[in-house]
Amino acid sequence: MNGRAGRIRIIGGSLRNSRLDVPGLPGLRPTPERVRETLFNWLAPMIEGARVLDLCAGTGALGIEALSRGAAGACFVEPEAQAARALRDNLARLKAAGGEVAAIDARGFLHGAARPFDLVFLDPPFALDLWGALAQGLEQGGWLAEHAWVYLESPRDVAPAVPAVWSLHREGRAGEVRFALYRRALPLS
């Protein structure tokens, strides 16, 4: 889909089989359907009522999938104007309550006033190599609930450095992508 307009579908929950319009933008790389299916199988017990941050939203497929499956709300961070507009349009068309779009880059967003999230999707454009900086920003900035879950997507052979308090829960590979789910576990005082 990279650089081509199209549609992707929501695979589960109340919005199942709904289609998301995807603008044809260079570097836009929606998470493949089979990866989303695996991820949301992993997340099934923790989605209901979760506060979700889709930090490098792009199409917003991950955050919208979470809303479809019962998340209490989702904040979508997307700096590219056309992608942010398409995301707002998709949320409105689907009547996806609880979704808000912040049209700002991820690093700028993390410098704002923090609020803790239960689940964060961290899937920045691969070419920008932002995983480490964004992971540290999430951890140090107060953006994560005490036992938050963080989903991280990277190139197949790249396991980005993450904060020491994040422990790997599950990981997989599909095509050229590595996907991993981390659990934040603060040390006992």
Side-chain angles (χ1 to χ4, degrees):
M1 173 117 3
N2 204 348
R4 294 189 326 248
R7 300 186 96 184
I8 56 175
R9 83 181 173 100
I10 299 301
I11 54 176
S14 63
L15 300 173
R16 184 179 182 180
N17 290 325
S18 297
R19 301 286 176 175
L20 302 179
D21 294 322
V22 177
L25 298 170
L28 190 61
R29 183 191 37 76
T31 299
E33 190 172 302
R34 73 178 191 180
V35 172
R36 282 186 286 126
E37 185 168 9
T38 298
L39 170 63
F40 282 93
N41 285 340
W42 294 347
L43 291 172
M46 13 335 194
I47 271 295
E48 188 70 35
R51 296 160 300 176
V52 175
L53 174 61
D54 195 341
L55 189 55
C56 301
T59 64
L62 293 172
I64 293 173
E65 191 79 50
L67 288 172
S68 177
R69 293 167 184 254
C75 179
F76 300 87
V77 178
E78 176 51 53
E80 205 292 319
Q82 187 179 354
R85 187 171 41 257
L87 183 46
R88 283 187 189 101
D89 291 348
N90 281 326
L91 288 167
R93 182 176 49 77
L94 297 174
K95 297 177 178 61
E100 63 174 290
V101 178
I104 185 173
D105 71 85
R107 285 184 284 200
F109 179 83
L110 294 178
H111 287 299
R115 59 184 190 232
F117 288 94
D118 304 305
L119 172 61
V120 175
F121 298 117
L122 181 55
D123 180 16
F126 287 2
L128 299 181
D129 192 20
L130 293 172
W131 299 279
L134 295 178
Q136 289 302 324
L138 285 164
E139 185 58 46
Q140 294 169 355
W143 293 97
L144 300 174
E146 185 176 350
H147 297 290
W149 294 90
V150 180
Y151 169 77
L152 194 147
E153 200 169 299
S154 62
R156 180 178 188 79
D157 298 322
V158 176
V162 298
V165 295
W166 294 11
S167 63
L168 182 63
H169 178 68
R170 308 261 322 242
E171 72 178 318
R173 287 175 174 71
E176 295 303 311
V177 172
R178 172 190 180 262
F179 55 100
L181 183 62
Y182 294 87
R183 177 81 189 266
R184 184 174 190 245
L186 296 177
L188 297 173
S189 319

